[in-house]
Amino acid sequence: MSVSSEDKKLRLDKDDSTPGKYWGRDEKRLWGASLFISCASLYTTRSVMPMSIVSVAKDVHWDKVQKGTVLSAFFWGYCMTQVLGGYLSDRIGGDIVLIVSATGWALITFWTPFIIKLSSDQHTAMVLVVISRVLLGCFQGVHFPSVTSIVCRKVNDQERSLIYSFITSGSQLGILICGSVGSILLERFGWSSVFYVSGCAGICWVFFLKYYLVAQQRKKQIVLSMKDNIVAGEKSHTDSGAVPWLLFFRKPPFWAIIVAHFCHTNAFFILFSWLPTYFHDNFPDAKGWVFNVVPWIVTIPSAILGGHLADLLIRKGYSVTFTRKFLETLSQVPLAICLLLIGQNLHSYTNSVILMTIAVSASSLHKAGVMVNSTDISPRHPGSVMGVMNMAGAIPGFIGVYIAGYILETTKSWAAVFNQTAVVTTIGWLTFMIFGSGKKIV
């Protein structure tokens, strides 16, 4: 397939870059590994409270309403800082934003046991915990917009899908770490230990990022600036200009990625939140480590393979538009089909595990489809666009999961939950297929 004129122009624009703009081979490996670990640490700390909530509630006498309040408070904060995080990342550099935000969410995680026990008055204690959860969401809300901004600035378009998919697949590793190591800590040392260990791990990553990677990169940029009389690399941040939101709001491809991402995260959060309950209700004798670990293990190689496939298609001359829609089809169509089939396989444990594994692994291809598409349509403002996408994508964290619970409570039907999720997923896929594009808006 021939390359479109828009794609050729986009590549020429990117090739005409200042010296040192893109990472070299060693930098890609080092930064890629570090940001992969950052996503893993992010999701480890994000998963600590959901995993420990039963033990915490037992100790401090929380009822189900209070547990739900604590868990949902995170997503209110998570929605608030997405756009701001992307804007700041595009203006001053995503690496700086990551350092500040990671310091915040790591310290909050570490201090959570103290916050929970700070007051003997239950109402006051609950208020403090909710505030800390909202702040945790605020700090974590800037993470993915920052990562998106960094990758767009430092990786050329023919390698970006693989790097981005690899980095963001660290989130699945974080879920696995929390589910395995966290469970051992919880059982042997109590719920406080899980918060302490995950918080300390986040702080260690911050020190590595701040004192090694970022310091090294800034020194290199200063040398390039003195040598070439330009502000290499930093110019793309400081001269990005105001975000043309009115222009974006008039463009169907912009709305397409927002709708598609919203529909995808709806399915992701429902699987993430309700998968253990589904297996507990239908297969009470099943081993938890199987259905809590197996589906998420497969997602990491699946995401990396999807990124590699996307880059391969672009290098072979397929348009960016075709590539993103093809990967999104590979992601959302199998996901919707598996969701429909899961509701009909309530008596087969093996089939349910296989279908869940396929569904979760297929959903990871979304990283090389819609998620990285923000860098295609707006290479000058990738973090800001990703911020809007992820703000919309965070809404199902408290709305979609609640609706799924309401459907389950009123109908007592898992098929109804998965069927409505499949419908929403299909709507997102069709929207992107009709209106999505890989052409640059601005």
Side-chain angles (χ1 to χ4, degrees), residues 37 41 102 106 197-211:
I37 294 172
S41 181
V197 172
S198 57
C200 284
I203 293 170
C204 290
W205 176 79
V206 170
F207 276 103
F208 174 76
L209 179 70
K210 179 178 180 181
Y211 293 108

Side-chain angles (χ1 to χ4, degrees), residues 334-355:
L335 172 59
I337 293 173
C338 287
L339 288 170
L340 292 173
L341 293 176
I342 288 169
Q344 309 302 320
N345 283 270
L346 302 180
H347 304 293
S348 174
Y349 173 69
T350 301
N351 289 345
S352 293
V353 172
I354 292 173
L355 288 170

Side-chain angles (χ1 to χ4, degrees), residues 26 59 80 93 105 122 148 207 338 344 349 384 407 417 424:
D26 292 338
D59 273 6
M80 291 166 57
W105 53 256
Q122 191 176 49
T148 302
F207 276 103
C338 287
Q344 309 302 320
Y349 173 69
S384 299
I407 292 174
V417 172
V424 174

Side-chain angles (χ1 to χ4, degrees), residues 185-393:
L185 291 172
L186 179 64
E187 181 179 347
R188 295 187 178 182
F189 304 104
W191 59 265
S192 295
S193 65
V194 189
F195 289 92
Y196 295 147
V197 172
S198 57
C200 284
I203 293 170
C204 290
W205 176 79
V206 170
F207 276 103
F208 174 76
L209 179 70
K210 179 178 180 181
Y211 293 108
Y212 184 71
L213 286 183
V214 173
Q216 192 178 68
Q217 175 178 278
R218 298 282 165 169
K219 288 179 181 179
K220 178 180 178 180
Q221 290 171 343
I222 291 173
V223 170
L224 287 169
S225 178
M226 294 173 62
K227 180 179 179 180
D228 301 306
N229 196 30
I230 58 173
V231 186
E234 291 300 300
K235 183 176 181 180
S236 61
H237 292 303
T238 57
D239 293 344
S240 60
V243 182
W245 290 119
L246 291 178
L247 176 61
F248 282 130
F249 291 150
R250 293 196 299 265
K251 298 295 183 179
F254 175 75
W255 288 106
I257 61 175
I258 292 175
V259 173
H261 191 56
F262 173 92
C263 295
H264 165 80
T265 56
N266 178 71
F268 174 81
F269 283 128
I270 287 175
L271 289 174
F272 178 72
S273 302
W274 290 105
L275 186 147
T277 305
Y278 165 81
F279 279 100
H280 175 76
D281 287 353
N282 294 286
F283 312 101
D285 297 328
K287 295 185 180 297
W289 67 267
V290 175
F291 56 78
N292 281 330
V293 172
V294 172
W296 302 107
I297 286 180
V298 181
T299 58
I300 298 176
S302 175
I304 296 172
L305 179 62
H308 175 73
L309 176 60
D311 287 340
L312 180 65
L313 291 173
I314 292 174
R315 285 196 297 269
K316 286 187 173 295
Y318 289 88
S319 70
V320 176
T321 299
F322 171 82
T323 300
R324 301 301 178 219
K325 290 184 177 182
F326 180 66
L327 265 296
E328 195 64 12
T329 299
L330 292 180
S331 173
Q332 302 306 295
V333 173
L335 172 59
I337 293 173
C338 287
L339 288 170
L340 292 173
L341 293 176
I342 288 169
Q344 309 302 320
N345 283 270
L346 302 180
H347 304 293
S348 174
Y349 173 69
T350 301
N351 289 345
S352 293
V353 172
I354 292 173
L355 288 170
M356 281 290 188
T357 302
I358 295 174
V360 174
S361 60
S363 72
S364 68
L365 299 179
H366 177 78
K367 303 177 189 299
V370 165
M371 279 191 72
V372 75
N373 191 229
S374 62
T375 67
D376 302 323
I377 67 174
S378 181
R380 291 182 59 196
H381 310 283
S384 299
V385 173
M386 182 61 187
V388 176
M389 281 178 59
N390 232 26
M391 181 177 66

Side-chain angles (χ1 to χ4, degrees), residues 1-306:
M1 181 180 293
S2 61
V3 183
S4 66
S5 59
E6 290 85 354
D7 290 328
K8 287 181 179 179
K9 184 178 185 300
L10 177 59
R11 294 180 191 179
L12 288 173
D13 290 341
K14 290 183 178 295
D15 290 338
D16 185 22
S17 57
T18 56
K21 178 178 180 179
Y22 295 133
W23 286 328
R25 179 177 298 178
D26 292 338
E27 287 178 308
K28 278 187 290 189
R29 291 174 178 172
L30 192 58
W31 272 92
S34 180
L35 293 177
F36 173 85
I37 294 172
S38 77
C39 289
S41 181
L42 180 91
Y43 258 81
T44 299
T45 56
R46 184 181 300 185
S47 304
V48 169
M49 183 61 82
M51 185 194 72
S52 307
I53 190 77
V54 174
S55 298
V56 176
K58 184 178 180 180
D59 273 6
V60 297
H61 308 293
W62 287 345
D63 58 27
K64 290 184 178 180
V65 174
Q66 290 171 318
K67 288 193 291 185
T69 301
V70 170
L71 292 176
S72 63
F74 169 85
F75 291 100
W76 290 105
Y78 192 65
C79 285
M80 291 166 57
T81 55
Q82 296 283 341
V83 178
L84 176 63
Y87 175 77
L88 291 176
S89 298
D90 291 339
R91 295 290 291 178
I92 66 176
D95 48 3
I96 301 300
V97 176
L98 279 181
I99 289 175
V100 175
S101 67
T103 301
W105 53 256
L107 289 176
I108 290 174
T109 302
F110 181 84
W111 286 104
T112 294
F114 296 99
I115 296 171
I116 292 174
K117 301 175 182 178
L118 189 60
S119 176
S120 58
D121 179 68
Q122 191 176 49
H123 176 73
T124 303
M126 175 59 60
V127 171
L128 293 174
V129 173
V130 168
I131 291 175
S132 70
R133 293 287 295 170
V134 172
L135 289 175
L136 179 69
C138 288
F139 280 114
Q140 292 206 350
V142 307
H143 181 87
F144 285 107
S146 299
V147 168
T148 302
S149 181
I150 292 173
V151 172
C152 183
R153 306 295 181 183
K154 293 300 181 180
V155 182
N156 66 64
D157 62 319
Q158 296 188 11
E159 300 176 303
R160 188 177 301 147
S161 302
L162 176 58
I163 297 295
Y164 189 81
S165 297
F166 169 73
I167 289 172
T168 53
S169 68
S171 58
Q172 277 74 38
L173 178 62
I175 296 172
L176 288 172
I177 292 174
C178 189
S180 54
V181 178
S183 297
I184 296 173
L185 291 172
L186 179 64
E187 181 179 347
R188 295 187 178 182
F189 304 104
W191 59 265
S192 295
S193 65
V194 189
F195 289 92
Y196 295 147
V197 172
S198 57
C200 284
I203 293 170
C204 290
W205 176 79
V206 170
F207 276 103
F208 174 76
L209 179 70
K210 179 178 180 181
Y211 293 108
Y212 184 71
L213 286 183
V214 173
Q216 192 178 68
Q217 175 178 278
R218 298 282 165 169
K219 288 179 181 179
K220 178 180 178 180
Q221 290 171 343
I222 291 173
V223 170
L224 287 169
S225 178
M226 294 173 62
K227 180 179 179 180
D228 301 306
N229 196 30
I230 58 173
V231 186
E234 291 300 300
K235 183 176 181 180
S236 61
H237 292 303
T238 57
D239 293 344
S240 60
V243 182
W245 290 119
L246 291 178
L247 176 61
F248 282 130
F249 291 150
R250 293 196 299 265
K251 298 295 183 179
F254 175 75
W255 288 106
I257 61 175
I258 292 175
V259 173
H261 191 56
F262 173 92
C263 295
H264 165 80
T265 56
N266 178 71
F268 174 81
F269 283 128
I270 287 175
L271 289 174
F272 178 72
S273 302
W274 290 105
L275 186 147
T277 305
Y278 165 81
F279 279 100
H280 175 76
D281 287 353
N282 294 286
F283 312 101
D285 297 328
K287 295 185 180 297
W289 67 267
V290 175
F291 56 78
N292 281 330
V293 172
V294 172
W296 302 107
I297 286 180
V298 181
T299 58
I300 298 176
S302 175
I304 296 172
L305 179 62

